[in-house]
Amino acid sequence: MSLVVNNSHTSATKSKAYKVAMITGSFPDAPCGVGDYTARLSQELARQGIHVSVLTTDLPEIKPPQPSITVCKVVKSWQLYNTFRFVRFLKAMKPDIIHIQYPTREYRRFLLPNFLPLICWVIFPKLCRIATIHEFSIAHKFRKIGMIFFLLLSNKIIFPDKREASAVLKWFPWLKGRYTVIPIGANIEPVPNIVSSRRIAEIPYIVYFGFATKSKDVITLFHAFKQLLIHGVKCKLVMITYLSDDDHHVMKELGIEHAITVTGYCTPEQVSVYFTNATACVLPFKDGVSLRRGTFLTALRHGLPVVTTIGENVPEVLKNWENVILTPIGDYQAMSDVILKLFHDPVLRNKISDNAMELGKCFSWDNIGLQHVALYSSMLT
């Protein structure tokens, strides 16, 4: 186990300084959306007077985001044989709350995270157990079953949006009354002093951001982008991600490799610069857009017109052709048509940009932190 850093905590509120053990497999600079979210949440909780200790994986790339947070690299991996190491650390820490973020990339398929609620229930029965379930609706059925201890033994479950809560209730209807919904925020805020100089790229480009996983339809994006080139649009596609060999093969087959930049990992500042100068952001989710998507919220916070996909339950705050553009899942022609319209219609582009930025203000970290502090207080008093 290695301890990264801890300095004095700055309190922004007069709330009791609860001690929270925040459990996450990933943390910056290890690439993971939930890890980035946990860092932002921990920063905000510390600002509001909560003593946060992040318990995470022992990886060299994990670094503390600011001195007000203790980052403890507890285990090399999340295999069950590390249980006793984890328990010894919790005994020494003596937290008021254990708050587990699930899933994260560095948990991989190891079982220790799934058994943590049971372990804490047996060994620390008086410890308040909270779990934030970021992803259930698109999880494999065996992974859903693997969340049973979170749902049975957590004192409270947090979901990032109503759609995830509804998906869980279909499987576990008895959970009703034991959960709450607290939205996530943008993991990357606009870099100061460059927002006013937007859309200054020499060659206009659209941007994709986020892991190219099975839940993201980058192949449809590639086909839509090819249609833009066929229509004679002089533009580029910037993919802020890593792509598989299969993805690169599709790009080559379509003859669009020359017009695509694949950045790999970028710092938050670099991502913000890419967003600020882009014409639009395209996010083709296979299950449709939702408010649990940090990449989508990041685009909103940058006032970037977003072209994305429409699922079964579109959040009420999303208004098609007002603050977002929604296209059918898998329909590359429809996606290409609306991107083309954005390129040729600056009035529409600016309207959606302004409305997106206004909507993005609703997902402030200050409010998210306040909701967590209120929940912690209600559980401990």
Side-chain angles (χ1 to χ4, degrees):
M1 179 189 77
S2 59
L3 182 65
V4 177
V5 70
N6 183 31
N7 284 346
S8 61
H9 298 264
T10 302
S11 175
T13 68
K14 294 183 179 179
S15 60
K16 181 178 175 177
Y18 300 118
K19 291 175 65 177
V20 176
M22 191 73 72
I23 314 299
T24 176
S26 302
F27 203 73
D29 290 333
C32 173
V34 175
D36 293 341
Y37 158 86
T38 305
R40 292 301 308 273
L41 174 62
S42 299
Q43 290 171 16
E44 183 58 36
L45 291 175
R47 192 186 69 83
Q48 296 192 24
I50 303 295
H51 291 293
V52 181
S53 292
V54 176
L55 278 57
T56 189
T57 316
D58 190 355
L59 296 172
E61 57 266 39
I62 289 181
K63 303 177 181 102
Q66 66 178 41
S68 59
I69 300 170
T70 302
V71 179
C72 306
K73 300 181 181 183
V74 181
V75 292
K76 292 283 187 183
S77 74
W78 294 85
Q79 298 182 73
L80 279 172
Y81 65 70
N82 280 315
T83 297
F84 296 108
R85 185 183 187 90
F86 204 92
V87 167
R88 284 198 304 269
F89 190 87
L90 278 179
K91 281 185 176 179
M93 181 186 171
K94 298 180 180 177
D96 300 302
I97 295 169
I98 178 172
H99 188 163
I100 306 171
Q101 305 291 333
Y102 188 89
T104 70
R105 284 175 67 85
E106 290 302 327
Y107 289 151
R108 303 189 185 276
R109 296 188 179 182
F110 298 133
L111 293 177
L112 178 55
N114 303 75
F115 280 88
L116 276 179
L118 175 63
I119 293 165
C120 291
W121 180 71
V122 171
I123 300 176
F124 309 105
K126 294 182 179 180
L127 180 62
C128 180
R129 302 172 300 277
I130 297 175
T132 297
I133 305 296
H134 292 268
E135 184 179 287
F136 185 90
S137 59
I138 63 173
H140 189 276
K141 62 181 179 181
F142 291 128
R143 175 160 282 189
K144 289 176 179 175
I145 294 169
M147 298 184 202
I148 190 67
F149 289 135
F150 289 113
L151 304 173
L152 278 174
L153 300 176
S154 295
N155 301 105
K156 204 74 169 181
I157 303 290
I158 300 173
F159 296 109
D161 69 355
K162 292 179 181 178
R163 187 169 79 170
E164 291 304 301
S166 298
V168 171
L169 289 175
K170 287 180 182 178
W171 280 62
F172 308 101
W174 42 262
L175 190 66
K176 197 170 184 178
R178 290 187 44 233
Y179 76 91
T180 188
V181 174
I182 300 179
I184 68 171
N187 291 338
I188 298 174
E189 291 291 318
V191 173
N193 304 321
I194 66 168
V195 174
S196 59
S197 62
R198 50 189 316 110
R199 323 278 190 262
I200 59 173
E202 291 183 10
I203 300 176
Y205 64 86
I206 56 177
V207 66
Y208 168 90
F209 176 45
F211 294 109
T213 58
K214 292 179 180 179
S215 67
K216 320 287 178 55
D217 194 359
V218 296
I219 303 302
T220 292
L221 173 55
F222 292 158
H223 282 276
F225 182 64
K226 181 176 181 178
Q227 293 301 306
L228 293 179
L229 300 182
I230 290 173
H231 281 87
V233 179
K234 293 182 179 180
C235 66
K236 295 191 70 172
L237 170 59
V238 175
M239 303 286 293
I240 308 176
T241 187
Y242 294 96
L243 293 178
S244 68
D245 291 340
D246 289 341
D247 292 332
H248 280 284
H249 180 69
V250 172
M251 288 163 47
K252 191 172 183 179
E253 276 195 333
L254 292 173
I256 58 177
E257 240 181 349
H258 68 282
I260 297 180
T261 298
V262 182
T263 67
Y265 173 76
C266 288
T267 65
E269 292 77 14
Q270 290 170 327
V271 173
S272 184
V273 171
Y274 276 124
F275 269 48
T276 299
N277 293 305
T279 298
C281 179
V282 186
L283 299 172
F285 301 113
K286 286 187 177 179
D287 60 334
V289 68
S290 72
L291 299 179
R292 72 173 184 85
R293 300 288 191 178
T295 51
F296 174 66
L297 298 181
T298 296
L300 292 183
R301 287 290 293 144
H302 283 78
L304 194 56
V306 180
V307 177
T308 186
T309 45
I310 183 169
E312 289 184 8
N313 300 300
V314 179
E316 294 178 2
V317 295
L318 300 184
K319 308 297 182 184
N320 199 15
W321 295 101
E322 292 294 327
N323 54 23
V324 68
I325 298 181
L326 302 171
T327 62
I329 295 170
D331 191 339
Y332 71 84
Q333 190 61 58
M335 183 175 290
S336 175
D337 289 344
V338 298
I339 297 171
L340 191 64
K341 189 169 181 60
L342 282 174
F343 270 109
H344 294 322
D345 191 341
V347 174
L348 173 66
R349 193 166 64 238
N350 290 334
K351 180 186 80 169
I352 294 178
S353 173
D354 292 342
N355 291 338
M357 186 169 286
E358 192 63 30
L359 176 60
K361 295 177 182 177
C362 298
F363 303 94
S364 73
W365 283 102
D366 178 69
N367 186 48
I368 293 167
L370 285 171
Q371 290 183 68
H372 277 83
V373 172
L375 176 63
Y376 294 162
S377 298
S378 69
M379 301 299 294
L380 294 174
T381 57

